[in-house]
């Protein structure tokens, strides 16, 4: 009889690695202070209880559960009522609005992203991705053998895309142009004019645009959010969305993808997406069933108050970081993040922002994410969803830390 041999993991699993996890694992240290920990590193709006879902959202899900009408398996692409609500809330181009059949409900925006990448790319194909950018994009690609062609975002232009650089990355295996707007980690929001310039590149090279718009509508002051498909009748696009951020329910795990394709260029892609949706037999049934009330009945006051809270925190964060010698924040325009540049030469005790962030955690019990998590060294990211008083305390500690270590 032959002997048992140890089993080896698959290539896909071996290639799956989250860059954030790698770097954060280096920072698993115990703070050497009695100060209460203040993590500014987690992009979860629920952590402190100061941001709550709309009343309509809570009531909708409670009613669905009590009625016991949606406890079974939903259709793989989502309930018709959920798909229709998404199409009505986010119709795209006013002359060519999408229909329910153009929408697929997913188990969160992350699942939607994975399905879209899988539908467009074969191993060895490449996709244009932003740098800095959300690390999951690369994680998905590495797992499946897709190549990442990273175009630069320009901090001096509020993180606009470097379109000249983008053009140099396009070749015969480039399958899509991907943007994230408003941005994690940058907190940027592209102007209509810049989006039109991006669309010109897609038109020139005949590339579809995949737009991660999970922060749709979360923009500050005079900023206006513009969705890609509202600006073009020729470039096909797929928009990723979800309820995690705006409705403060990331754990409910419902997102979606919407295909905007008036010229029928993505029919085969849509067929592939429908096939991919059958793998998990549909996302959470009760949350899907509540989507019509969540998306179509939430009060305008909720949206205004939610965005204003984040806008106030964004201004507080920017002002506090800008006042610290050696730090240069890029003013946030949307989402819930700000990227802060470090003049690392002013802090000679730290070879990079990773050591800076690690020592900040050790001395002050404040955790930020090093920019290397997003391929942007000598920056760190702050999440500003916490109550203002906690943010003020954290920023006072960062100032004290910088005063101590700055030369």
């Amino acid at each position: 009889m032959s002997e048992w041999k140890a089993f080896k993991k698959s290539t896909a699993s071996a290639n799956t690695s989250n860059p954030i996890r790698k770097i954060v694992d280096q920072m698993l240290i115990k703070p050497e202070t009695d100060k209460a920990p203040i993590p500014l590193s987690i992009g979860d709006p629920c952590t402190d209880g100061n941001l709550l879902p709309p009343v309509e959202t809570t009531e909708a899900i409670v009613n669905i559960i009590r009625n016991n009408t949606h406890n079974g398996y939903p259709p793989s692409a989502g309930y018709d009522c959920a798909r229709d609500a998404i199409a009505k809330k986010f119709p795209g181009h006013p002359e060519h609005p999408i229909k329910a059949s153009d929408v697929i409900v997913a188990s969160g925006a992350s699942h939607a992203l994975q399905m879209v990448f899988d539908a467009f790319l074969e191993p060895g194909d490449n996709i244009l991705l932003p740098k800095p950018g959300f690390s999951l994009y690369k994680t998905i690609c590495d797992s499946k053998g897709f190549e990442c062609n990273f175009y630069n975002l320009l901090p001096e232009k509020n993180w606009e895309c470097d379109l000249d650089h983008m053009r140099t990355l396009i070749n015969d295996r480039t399958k899509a142009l991907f943007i994230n707007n408003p941005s994690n980690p940058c907190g940027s929001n592209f102007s209509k004019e810049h989006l039109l310039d991006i669309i010109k590149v897609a038109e020139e090279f005949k590339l579809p645009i995949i737009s991660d718009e999970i922060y749709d509508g979360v923009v500050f002051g005079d900023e206006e959010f513009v969705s890609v498909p509202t600006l073009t009748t020729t470039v096909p696009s797929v928009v990723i969305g979800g309820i995690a951020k705006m409705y403060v329910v990331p754990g409910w795990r419902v997102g979606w993808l919407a295909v905007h394709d008036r010229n029928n260029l993505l029919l085969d892609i849509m067929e592939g997406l429908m096939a991919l949706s059958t793998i998990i037999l549909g996302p959470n049934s009760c949350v899907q069933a509540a989507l019509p009330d969540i998306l179509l009945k939430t009060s305008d006051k909720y949206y205004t108050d939610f965005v204003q809270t984040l806008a106030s925190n964004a201004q507080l964060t920017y002002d506090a970081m800008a006042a610290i010698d050696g730090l240069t924040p890029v003013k946030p325009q949307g989402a819930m993040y700000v990227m802060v540049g470090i003049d690392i030469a002013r802090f000679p005790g730290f070879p990079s922002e990773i050591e800076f962030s690690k020592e900040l955690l050790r001395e002050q019990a404040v955790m930020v994410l090093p920019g290397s998590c997003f391929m942007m060294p000598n920056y760190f990211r702050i999440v500003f969803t916490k109550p203002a008083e906690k943010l003020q305390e954290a920023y006072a500690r960062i100032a004290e830390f910088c005063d101590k270590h700055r030369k």
Side-chain angles (χ1 to χ4, degrees), residues 79-211:
Y79 287 125
D80 288 342
C81 66
R83 299 168 77 189
D84 184 62
I86 294 163
K88 287 178 177 175
K89 180 70 173 178
F90 308 101
H93 199 284
E95 296 178 11
H96 306 281
I98 58 170
K99 307 178 296 296
S101 58
D102 298 313
V103 175
I104 296 177
V105 189
S107 185
S110 298
H111 177 223
L113 284 165
Q114 183 175 359
M115 284 199 294
V116 172
F117 284 20
D118 283 349
F120 274 96
L121 298 160
E122 299 281 2
D125 288 340
N126 67 75
I127 184 171
L128 301 171
L129 294 173
K131 184 178 73 171
F134 184 42
S135 63
L136 182 66
Y137 309 145
K138 184 177 187 300
T139 298
I140 294 172
C141 289
D142 288 350
S143 176
K144 300 299 182 71
F146 310 148
E147 299 294 327
C148 303
N149 286 6
F150 292 105
Y151 59 87
N152 293 328
L153 302 181
L154 303 171
E156 66 274 16
K157 293 186 176 182
N158 271 104
W159 303 110
E160 286 188 349
C161 307
D162 184 339
L163 298 179
D164 290 335
H165 181 227
M166 181 187 289
R167 284 186 170 89
T168 68
L169 302 173
I170 299 171
N171 57 46
D172 59 1
R173 297 207 67 173
T174 304
K175 300 302 180 183
L177 191 169
F178 183 96
I179 65 171
N180 172 211
N181 187 53
S183 167
N184 174 14
C186 299
S188 58
N189 176 56
F190 294 153
S191 67
K192 177 180 177 180
E193 292 71 24
H194 187 56
L195 286 169
L196 287 170
D197 287 339
I198 293 170
I199 289 168
K200 285 179 184 177
V201 175
E203 181 77 67
E204 178 184 349
F205 290 93
K206 300 300 180 284
L207 292 173
I209 295 176
I210 303 169
S211 186

Side-chain angles (χ1 to χ4, degrees), residues 209-389:
I209 295 176
I210 303 169
S211 186
D212 180 353
E213 300 181 1
I214 187 66
Y215 294 98
D216 180 327
V218 186
V219 294
F220 311 140
D222 294 331
E223 290 292 323
E224 177 188 7
F225 170 75
V226 181
S227 180
V228 164
T230 66
L231 298 177
T232 177
T233 58
T234 57
V235 175
S237 62
V238 181
V239 173
I240 308 295
I243 60 173
K245 308 298 185 177
M246 177 65 89
Y247 300 91
V248 198
V249 287
W252 288 14
R253 307 312 303 142
V254 166
W256 54 79
L257 61 91
V259 177
H260 299 260
D261 181 34
R262 65 165 297 199
N263 298 313
N264 297 322
L265 298 171
L266 300 182
L267 292 178
D268 199 49
I269 294 293
M270 188 61 178
E271 185 177 325
L273 288 166
M274 291 294 289
L276 290 167
S277 76
T278 65
I279 293 176
I280 69 163
L281 299 177
N284 188 291
S285 61
C286 292
V287 179
Q288 279 194 65
L291 277 183
D293 284 351
I294 295 171
L295 296 181
L296 304 178
K297 294 184 179 180
T298 294
S299 70
D300 290 342
K301 184 179 186 303
Y302 169 80
Y303 295 117
T304 300
D305 290 349
F306 177 75
V307 172
Q308 182 53 48
T309 297
L310 290 179
S312 178
N313 286 357
Q315 189 65 52
L316 167 65
T317 303
Y318 176 77
D319 290 345
M321 294 299 101
I324 300 174
D325 189 16
L327 300 185
T328 305
V330 180
K331 190 168 187 177
Q333 300 167 304
M336 51 187 65
Y337 313 98
V338 62
M339 288 285 275
V340 181
I342 307 172
D343 183 353
I344 206 70
R346 301 290 304 280
F347 302 94
F350 307 118
S352 75
E353 91 287 355
I354 296 177
E355 288 79 14
F356 178 100
S357 303
K358 186 175 181 179
E359 192 61 23
L360 175 64
L361 176 60
R362 186 192 308 277
E363 292 185 17
Q364 296 288 347
V366 174
M367 185 171 185
V368 297
L369 273 189
S372 293
C373 292
F374 313 102
M375 295 178 294
M376 197 69 185
N378 294 336
Y379 280 78
F380 61 86
R381 189 194 73 174
I382 288 175
V383 182
F384 49 74
T385 55
K386 290 186 176 296
E389 59 272 17

